[in-house]
């Protein structure tokens, strides 16, 4: 990652990024451009460099911020009408950490409103276009962030991943995208979608950049009680899963006792390095060019001495159904706070408090937000709770157990990110279930809390990027990033 | 549950639970969408979950007690009140409640 120094100033880096953002305006990547603030911050960093003072590891590095991260710079809208004109008085922990290292936010990026979607078409501000084909979707929900990195406007961008919202747009645009282990990075100051699966991650152009960002972002945050102690920076470089020195203890996926010891990964001893492929995922629903890309990577790995192991994970077939019960339930709860009273948009049509809530919410939410809220209230409502929500929570246990079992047999799992490359704008916009099926390979990781890294894996004949997903056990994020280099 | 039919009154009930004042067109289109989604998620029926405990979160939880001290918050009262569309005298203004 290019940082500022005495010859290349932060102001130059920032101005270049702002010019590129302007040049690619047609793509509808940004909901806000932070021109004045970014240049001012760049000058402060340049002054420090001129005085010979120490600067951070991201000094002068321009980055793009997904518009569901709170900070006082610009409005945090989550690309939703209901948060229009909302300027946050607080700063998300991850933003504060990046800025403390000298990173400079040049703009806020477009997303599906409240991160509900897989194409960025559900944005109040219109869709973001794919970096490789303007007639196709960027993927989502972090579409703007993925395209900002793919078009080389910025060095990196932030994202959130509740069911694939980092990995799928990364794969649609040919960049790296990491969904870390649940609890690795603080969620404080990020607009909540589904609290038991929301993860904070990044888009980068290389595994090394991802490693640098994770070493900055990870660790316990007193403002987010679901952050883990910093295991990321306690992972020895060059170590791999299977090294016993990596594993002072092995917590189970749902075990207790995360508090004191910085346990690095729940790893196991294997004589040779084994990579799993999931039998049911390599099936006819996956585009043949993506299946071939997966096969090619497996061949590469075999030549490097890895053993490829076929895994049976039958419960994964039900992950998407479980996900679209559990997540809407949490969405319905998290989005109940948007009532037009304390912040954000307020409908002016109301005569009393009840109609103020109802009108504000109906005018302020996008159709997909309403679908998820209503499905959430359906699966939680009396008479349906056992059949849907409880059933899904039990399915989640089976999915967790399948991952636990899988990682007793293999070090990592390699799968497609999504069944197809970037689809055409509008192609799935009127069919919610077809859109949900986009997430069929990504959601199980969120339900299990395990990390996944989307890596570029060539292009289709039509020139669209293909992405593959590397999956590891909980807390194996650093090893996953290092292993990604083996795939080249 | 797969063949469950979602009726207009069900949609209106869910809209009420969700604090949404749907238009007639929305009742119709959301009704169709919800029917499709419920049909999809109902495939969980096939999965045998006998004797399986539910999982509600995947964080390795441990309770942490905080010190019993007043903590300065990042945003003060003025900044928070300024976020509301209408406020005066340190209070948020809303239309009549009853």
């Amino acid at each position: 990652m290019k940082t500022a120094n005495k010859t290349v100033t932060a102001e130059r880096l920032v101005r270049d990024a702002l010019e590129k953002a302007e040049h690619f305006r047609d793509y509808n990547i940004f909901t806000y451009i932070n021109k004045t603030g970014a240049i001012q911050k760049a000058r402060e960093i340049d002054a420090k460099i001129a005085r010979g003072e120490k600067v951070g590891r991201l000094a002068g590095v321009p980055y793009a911020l997904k518009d569901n991260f709170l900070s006082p710079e610009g409005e945090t809208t989550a690309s939703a009408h209901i948060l229009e004109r909302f300027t946050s008085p607080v700063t998300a922990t991850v933003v504060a950490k990046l800025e403390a290292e000298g990173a400079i936010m040049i703009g806020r990026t477009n997303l599906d409103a409240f991160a509900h979607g897989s194409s960025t078409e559900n944005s109040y501000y219109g869709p973001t276009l794919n970096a490789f084909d303007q007639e196709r979707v960027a993927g989502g929900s972090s579409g703007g962030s993925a395209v900002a990195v793919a078009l080389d406007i910025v060095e990196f961008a932030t994202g959130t991943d509740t069911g694939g919202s980092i990995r799928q747009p990364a794969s649609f645009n040919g960049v790296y995208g990491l969904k870390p282990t649940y609890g690795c990075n603080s969620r404080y100051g990020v607009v909540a979608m589904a609290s038991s699966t929301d993860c904070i991650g990044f888009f980068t152009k290389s595994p090394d950049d991802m490693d640098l960002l994770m070493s900055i972002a990870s660790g316990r945050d007193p403002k987010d009680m679901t952050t883990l102690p910093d295991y990321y920076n306690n992972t020895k470089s060059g170590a791999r899963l299977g090294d016993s020195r990596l594993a002072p203890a092995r917590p189970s996926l749902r075990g207790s006792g995360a508090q004191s010891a910085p346990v690095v990964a729940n790893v196991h001893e294997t004589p040779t390095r084994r990579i799993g492929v999931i039998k049911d995922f390599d099936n006819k629903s996956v585009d043949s060019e993506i299946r071939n890309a997966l096969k090619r990577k497996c061949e590469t790995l075999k030549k490097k001495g890895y053993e490829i192991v076929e895994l049976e994970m039958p419960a994964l077939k039900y992950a998407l159904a479980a996900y679209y019960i559990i997540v809407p339930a949490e969405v319905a709860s998290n989005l109940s706070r948007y009532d037009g009273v304390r912040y954000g948009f307020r409908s002016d049509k109301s005569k009393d408090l009840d109609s103020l809530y109802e009108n504000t919410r109906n005018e302020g939410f996008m159709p997909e937000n309403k679908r998820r809220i209503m499905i959430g209230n359906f699966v939680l409502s009396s008479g349906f709770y056992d059949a849907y929500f409880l059933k899904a929570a039990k399915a989640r246990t089976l999915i967790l157990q399948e991952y636990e079992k899988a990682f007793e047999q293999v070090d990592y799992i390699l799968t497609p990110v999504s069944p197809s490359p970037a689809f055409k704008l509008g192609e799935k916009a009127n069919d919610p279930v077809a859109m949900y099926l986009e997430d069929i390979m990504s959601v199980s990781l969120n339900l299990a809390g395990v990390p996944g890294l989307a890596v570029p894996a060539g292009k289709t004949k039509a020139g669209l990027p293909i992405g593959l997903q590397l999956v590891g056990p909980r807390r194996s994020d650093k090893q996953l990033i290092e292993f990604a280099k083996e795939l080249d | 549950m797969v063949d469950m039919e979602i009726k207009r009154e069900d949609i209106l009930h869910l809209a009420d639970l969700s604090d949404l004042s749907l238009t007639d067109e929305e009742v119709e289109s959301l009704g169709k969408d919800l029917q499709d989604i419920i049909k999809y998620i109902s495939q969980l029926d096939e999965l045998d979950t006998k004797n399986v405990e539910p999982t509600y979160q995947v964080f390795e939880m441990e309770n942490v007690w905080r010190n019993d001290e007043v903590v300065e918050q990042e945003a003060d009262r003025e900044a928070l009140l300024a976020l509301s569309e209408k406020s005066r005298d340190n209070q948020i203004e809303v239309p009549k409640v009853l």
Side-chain angles (χ1 to χ4, degrees), chain A residues 97 184 218-222 224-225 227-230 258-259, chain B residues 59 64:
Chain A
K97 284 182 167 182
C184 180
S218 64
R220 179 171 286 283
D221 178 10
D224 175 359
M225 295 314 285
T227 43
L228 293 161
D230 187 0
Q259 203 57 45
Chain B
F59 185 69
V64 184

Side-chain angles (χ1 to χ4, degrees), chain A residues 390-468:
Chain A
L390 185 62
K391 182 89 181 173
K394 289 178 177 176
R396 190 175 190 175
T397 305
L398 294 175
I399 291 159
L400 262 167
Q401 288 170 349
E402 280 194 355
Y403 273 112
E404 284 186 325
K405 227 176 93 192
F407 289 123
E408 281 166 13
Q409 298 172 62
V410 299
D411 292 282
Y412 309 106
I413 302 171
L414 188 62
T415 82
V417 176
S418 61
S420 65
F423 47 92
K424 289 243 165 94
L425 287 158
E427 192 179 318
K428 300 183 182 185
N430 297 317
D431 186 347
V433 173
M435 191 69 92
Y436 294 175
L437 285 166
E438 265 303 303
D439 306 335
I440 197 153
M441 286 157 182
S442 51
V443 295
S444 66
L445 282 73
N446 299 74
L447 293 176
V450 297
L453 176 64
V455 297
K459 288 192 185 130
T460 64
K461 286 189 194 99
L464 297 171
I466 294 173
L468 295 177

Side-chain angles (χ1 to χ4, degrees), chain A residues 6 14-15 24 31 52 56 135 171 174 180 235 246 261 265 310 336 338 405 408 411 427 440 486:
Chain A
K6 276 192 173 148
V14 163
R15 283 192 185 275
F24 291 116
T31 54
E135 287 178 8
S171 77
T235 309
L246 261 178
E310 205 167 63
S336 64
Y338 299 99
K405 227 176 93 192
E408 281 166 13
D411 292 282
E427 192 179 318
I440 197 153
E486 293 279 293

Side-chain angles (χ1 to χ4, degrees), chain A residues 85-87 89-91 182 188 196 223 225-228 253-255 257-259 318 320-321 324-325 341-344 346 351-353 356-359 361-362 370-371 373-375 377-378 384-385 387-398 400 432-433 436-437 447 449 474-475, chain B residues 1-2 4 6 10-23 26 29-30 32-34 36-38 40-49 51-64 73-75 79-86 92-98:
Chain A
R85 299 196 297 274
F86 173 70
T87 304
V90 303
T91 302
Y182 181 80
Y188 175 76
S196 84
K223 291 171 178 167
M225 295 314 285
T226 55
T227 43
L228 293 161
L253 284 167
R254 290 179 301 135
Q259 203 57 45
Y318 299 96
L320 192 70
Y324 275 100
I325 292 169
V341 173
R342 290 155 300 158
Y343 46 81
R346 180 189 287 197
K351 293 184 189 75
D352 55 26
L353 191 62
L356 178 126
Y357 295 154
E358 290 180 355
N359 292 332
R361 289 166 64 81
N362 208 51
K370 296 179 197 176
R371 278 181 211 119
I373 292 169
M374 289 173 70
I375 285 288
N377 283 322
F378 170 77
F384 298 109
Y385 179 90
Y388 290 97
F389 190 74
L390 185 62
K391 182 89 181 173
K394 289 178 177 176
R396 190 175 190 175
T397 305
L398 294 175
L400 262 167
V433 173
Y436 294 175
L437 285 166
L447 293 176
R474 286 173 61 84
R475 304 179 188 228
Chain B
M1 291 288 172
V2 179
M4 202 177 94
I6 305 294
D10 299 323
I11 295 296
L12 292 174
H13 174 61
L14 286 175
D16 189 44
L17 289 176
S18 307
D19 268 333
L20 293 166
S21 56
L22 302 180
T23 63
E26 283 180 309
S29 65
L30 281 166
K32 189 196 160 293
D33 293 346
L34 262 55
D36 290 347
I37 295 166
I38 289 164
Y40 183 83
I41 61 180
S42 296
Q43 64 174 283
L44 270 189
D45 279 356
E46 301 164 20
L47 188 65
D48 183 5
T49 53
N51 301 322
V52 177
E53 290 294 315
T55 298
Y56 299 109
Q57 52 87 14
V58 290
F59 185 69
E60 299 144 12
M61 293 282 273
E62 188 170 299
N63 194 32
V64 184
Q73 298 298 321
E74 230 181 313
L80 293 172
L81 280 168
L83 298 174
S84 179
E85 289 267 310
K86 278 184 185 171
I92 290 170
E93 202 179 328
V94 292
K96 67 173 181 169
V97 177
L98 293 171

